[in-house]
Amino acid sequence: MDKRERQRLKRGRLRKERVRQTAAMHEARAHRRRADELADDAAWFLRARDWASAVAAAARAVALAPHDSVIAGLYAQAAEKSKHLRHRIASLEHLAEVATPTGGLLTLLADLHCTAGNLERSQALLAQAQRMAPRGRVIREAALAAIATVKRRLRSASSAGTSADVPVGDSPLQRELALVKRRGPEPTAPSPPSSSPPPAVQSLSADSPSAPSAASPLAPSVPTPSHDPAILQIPVTVASDILSLDALRAAPSGTPEDVTLALMATALHDAESFDRLLALDHAQGLIQLSHQEETARKVLSVFLGRALLADEVGLGKTIEAGLVLSEYLLRGHVQRALVLTPPSLVRQWREELDGKFGIAARSTDDDERRRGALGPWEGPGVVVASIATARSERHRDAVAACPWDLVIVDEAHTLKNHRTESYALVERLQTRFLLLLTATPIENRVEELYNLVSLIRPGHLGGRTAFVRRFTGARGQLSDTARGELRALLGELMVRNTRALSGVHLPPRFARTQLVLPGPEEHALSEHLVAALRSLVASGRVRPLLSLLLQEAGSSPMAVRGTLERLVADTTLPEPMRAAIAAACDFAARATGSEKARVLLDALAGSDGPTIVFTRFRGTLAFLADVLTRAGLPHQRLDGEMPIAARGAAIERCRGTGGVLLSTDVGSEGLNLQFCHRLVNFDLPWNPMRIEQRIGRLHRIGQDHPVEVLNLCLAGSVEERILGILDERINLFELVVGEVEMILGYLGGGREFPDLVLDAFAEPDATSRTQSFTHLGDTLAAARQRYRTVKSFDEALFRSELGV
């Protein structure tokens, strides 16, 4: 490695380190601001005498600012008011760490540990408190008296073999034992005494300004029951971070009840710990990327299953959501899940879940699931549906009536307006976990972000009016001074990974288009089909059929021949249509070859390594297989009729021996073809997303070589017009996989791109056609410009501070 390269790598490492340090600094500031807000909330709840809410807010503030003694004292005060033993112990332990402990504070803490049954910790605290007894005679005697009182309780608890002052059924441990045992009569619970310290302890606790005050005297110890208790009397030492199975292994002579309790505790530990992702062990064909794994862990353990995933396009939000879904399913936290997507992504989601995570999802297209009152929505399992279908009048009530464990909404920027039917549906859903996926969580106004966050955690950003006034300027744009504060709030429920910090860098790809002059039969076939289209296009019923015929003719005469023959023989079709296509059927029957096939052979002759050739139609696939066989070129074939195992075997043969992989779009769905870096589009779908999906089979994470794309296109065809628009106006072949979908989402009007193409091509004269295609190109260019504007705004707002 030369000196220049070493310097470049060093500069790159320094840049990354500076970015990490800056992100850590902003995160620390955000935590500080949020901790202050929570402390203010806790103080307000204390004044309102809402002790439970005060404890919850103070505990969260302590977690965000663990070294702040003032917040620690506030937590102790809230815990004392709530009389919650666990919080009282935790708050005083934390206060003793961040502030200089006094003898009174340690004595009070020892008394609470004795009540909880942690006798060893109580003894240690008493010994430490005794060493810290003040020198003044009167105060010292009072302190030693308080210590002696706690020691008597401690001896009583030790002789009883259980906790001193907690009545049976009143502690979490006793309740769990009662649930496990369920045998014999339960002992009579003694009257619950107060767990507050004696007066001597109260006087000593006053020398710590942060310590809470006590209000009641110490009650006498609980006498030992005169009868044998029905529940188990197992000596328990309360400790953290000890695996129950390890403790059981250390004491192999334990009773069956010990084993039951250990297994219960281990199951609880495993259910709540996500250090190890079970989904990774069960995934198939998944390229493990650190940012995806860490995002899943953060959603599971920090965000508790409710999050906004806003990674840049192409970084795998679908994989991250799939990991979370799979993990919850494997751990038994989720029985019923719903995935809502745009209509064009329903099939892709089902393939990803099935192929990578082994999750067999159903959809509204499955006829067998239409039984029952709620149709496809009822019963356990995973449902993938388009959000348009779910919000329809036919389905929305049934969807909202079902209790879901997890809901995933892809392309969640469609929910930016809280007045839409889509937003209303998601807001109505009953779900414990919720994931919203979008690369552009904010497009025009900061209020759009408020709407998304309100679905995940209502009230997190405050009231709508106050939020807008707080985070927007006079022109409705986000002010610079508010960006850091807003990022801090979003950091509690949002992840946004960027390519710059995730380390995901794809090699370049190069595309070229080769126009092919059609042969005589191909030209005549195309002319007759175009004439049929323009004469019958007014009939809405035949438009989809004529569109299919044009696409088949653009592929090869062999693809369209069978369709034409069936149409001519179909007496139910309108007679004008049958007459218009009869001549085209005659020219298709005469064709014996294809000019594009000849050009394909020339392109393959000068290539080395495997090449994948895509076509939409099985008729063309069979024709090309015959052409390659006659030319002596080795090839494998993929189509939707082949079993999945046979497709995998064909890919492995091509990977090992090279040659050509002939595939339809359906045959390649769900497959990773990164071993190949040369692609030929023998025909072109009218939908740009389909073109992008073909390229994405090769140009994706795991590809090590530059990708070459060759488009074969008949001169004068619809495909030539489409390519001209896509390449010249939005630079289709330079976009990151996933961006085409974002751009098409800004077209507006609610119509699909192929329909707009058909409208333009059906114009009766050449001038009108040219004008229509020009207008379509302008609309696409404007959509891309809007996407760029939104992307720049998002990058300026979120930067890289919300990544993992």
Side-chain angles (χ1 to χ4, degrees), residues 462-478:
R464 181 183 300 275
T465 304
F467 173 82
V468 174
R469 184 170 57 249
R470 181 181 180 186
F471 290 109
T472 58
R475 297 183 179 179
Q477 297 298 319
L478 191 67

Side-chain angles (χ1 to χ4, degrees), residues 492-508:
E492 298 184 25
L493 49 75
M494 175 177 168
V495 176
R496 181 173 177 82
N497 295 306
T498 63
R499 272 184 290 276
L501 289 183
S502 63
V504 176
H505 299 287
L506 294 179

Side-chain angles (χ1 to χ4, degrees), residues 620-631 633 635 637 662:
T620 300
L621 192 73
F623 164 67
L624 291 179
D626 184 59
V627 169
L628 294 181
T629 300
R630 292 199 306 268
L633 293 176
H635 61 276
R637 178 172 171 173
L662 295 173

Side-chain angles (χ1 to χ4, degrees), residues 670-741:
L671 301 177
N672 298 323
L673 306 174
Q674 296 97 321
F675 70 91
C676 178
H677 54 272
R678 186 174 294 104
L679 180 153
V680 177
N681 285 314
F682 190 82
D683 49 43
L684 285 157
W686 287 13
N687 189 336
M689 287 178 57
R690 289 289 183 184
I691 302 175
E692 185 189 58
Q693 287 167 5
R694 287 181 177 182
I695 298 173
R697 299 295 177 191
L698 282 68
H699 196 236
R700 63 196 304 158
I701 296 171
Q703 177 61 261
D704 298 325
H705 299 85
V707 173
E708 302 174 17
V709 179
L710 172 62
N711 304 308
L712 300 182
C713 182
L714 284 178
S717 64
V718 185
E719 288 80 6
E720 182 184 3
R721 295 274 196 174
I722 294 174
L723 271 181
I725 292 175
L726 297 178
D727 199 12
E728 295 172 9
R729 306 310 296 272
I730 66 172
N731 298 325
L732 169 68
F733 298 103
E734 298 177 11
L735 297 174
V736 174
V737 172
E739 288 188 316
V740 167
E741 179 188 346

Side-chain angles (χ1 to χ4, degrees), residues 221-555:
S221 302
V222 179
T224 304
S226 59
H227 60 279
D228 294 332
I231 63 172
L232 296 175
Q233 296 255 345
I234 304 174
V236 176
T237 299
V238 180
S240 61
D241 299 329
I242 296 179
L243 292 179
S244 300
L245 292 183
D246 292 340
L248 188 64
R249 192 180 300 113
S253 58
T255 64
E257 288 80 5
D258 295 341
V259 176
T260 301
L261 287 175
L263 292 175
M264 287 176 60
T266 301
L268 288 171
H269 178 273
D270 289 343
E272 300 302 329
S273 173
F274 296 100
D275 292 337
R276 172 177 171 239
L277 294 181
L278 305 179
L280 293 176
D281 299 333
H282 289 74
Q284 298 290 332
L286 185 65
I287 299 176
Q288 297 186 10
L289 299 176
S290 60
H291 76 273
Q292 294 175 348
E293 298 175 21
E294 292 306 318
T295 295
R297 285 192 181 92
K298 191 168 187 178
V299 170
L300 293 163
S301 59
V302 179
F303 297 157
L304 304 181
R306 299 184 73 90
L308 176 61
L309 303 185
D311 289 0
E312 285 185 336
V313 172
L315 291 184
K317 293 184 291 295
T318 303
I319 299 300
E320 293 166 357
L323 284 172
V324 173
L325 171 59
S326 178
E327 193 73 20
Y328 276 144
L329 288 171
L330 291 171
R331 292 175 182 267
H333 292 327
V334 165
Q335 302 296 328
R336 293 171 37 78
L338 173 65
V339 180
L340 297 175
T341 79
S344 59
L345 297 181
V346 171
R347 174 181 287 182
Q348 181 178 333
W349 262 93
R350 295 185 69 181
E351 292 169 357
E352 290 282 309
L353 292 178
D354 187 24
K356 290 185 171 61
F357 302 104
I359 299 173
R362 62 182 186 267
S363 77
T364 53
D365 297 330
D366 300 333
D367 292 336
E368 66 273 12
R369 298 299 308 177
R370 296 182 183 277
R371 299 189 299 268
L374 298 179
W377 316 107
E378 64 183 0
V382 179
V383 180
V384 179
S386 75
I387 194 167
T389 299
R391 74 177 183 231
S392 65
E393 186 176 357
R394 176 184 177 186
H395 292 288
R396 62 188 176 212
D397 291 336
V399 176
C402 294
W404 303 99
D405 299 316
L406 169 63
V407 172
I408 300 172
V409 183
D410 197 9
E411 304 302 332
H413 50 269
T414 58
L415 306 177
K416 61 184 180 181
N417 187 345
H418 69 288
R419 294 184 177 90
T420 61
E421 293 182 356
S422 296
Y423 189 95
L425 171 69
V426 176
E427 193 175 33
R428 288 178 61 194
L429 295 179
Q430 310 169 52
T431 178
R432 177 184 177 189
F433 306 121
L434 174 64
L435 299 180
L436 303 183
L437 282 57
T438 174
T440 54
I442 182 170
E443 297 181 341
N444 297 310
R445 297 174 297 117
V446 71
E447 189 178 356
E448 297 167 357
L449 189 60
Y450 179 91
N451 295 332
L452 294 180
V453 172
S454 296
L455 290 173
I456 299 170
R457 191 181 294 177
H460 181 68
L461 298 179
R464 181 183 300 275
T465 304
F467 173 82
V468 174
R469 184 170 57 249
R470 181 181 180 186
F471 290 109
T472 58
R475 297 183 179 179
Q477 297 298 319
L478 191 67
S479 61
D480 292 336
T481 57
R483 293 178 189 272
E485 187 176 357
L486 181 56
R487 283 196 292 267
L489 291 170
L490 294 176
E492 298 184 25
L493 49 75
M494 175 177 168
V495 176
R496 181 173 177 82
N497 295 306
T498 63
R499 272 184 290 276
L501 289 183
S502 63
V504 176
H505 299 287
L506 294 179
R509 67 171 183 247
F510 306 97
R512 64 185 180 93
T513 299
Q514 185 164 346
L515 290 179
V516 180
L517 293 175
E521 291 86 0
E522 291 176 296
H523 179 73
L525 171 63
S526 177
E527 288 295 318
H528 281 82
L529 286 178
V530 169
L533 165 67
R534 289 171 182 154
S535 63
L536 301 173
V537 74
S539 175
R541 194 164 73 90
V542 300
R543 276 175 59 95
L545 185 56
L546 290 173
S547 174
L548 173 65
L549 290 173
L550 283 174
Q551 294 178 66
E552 288 179 331
S555 177

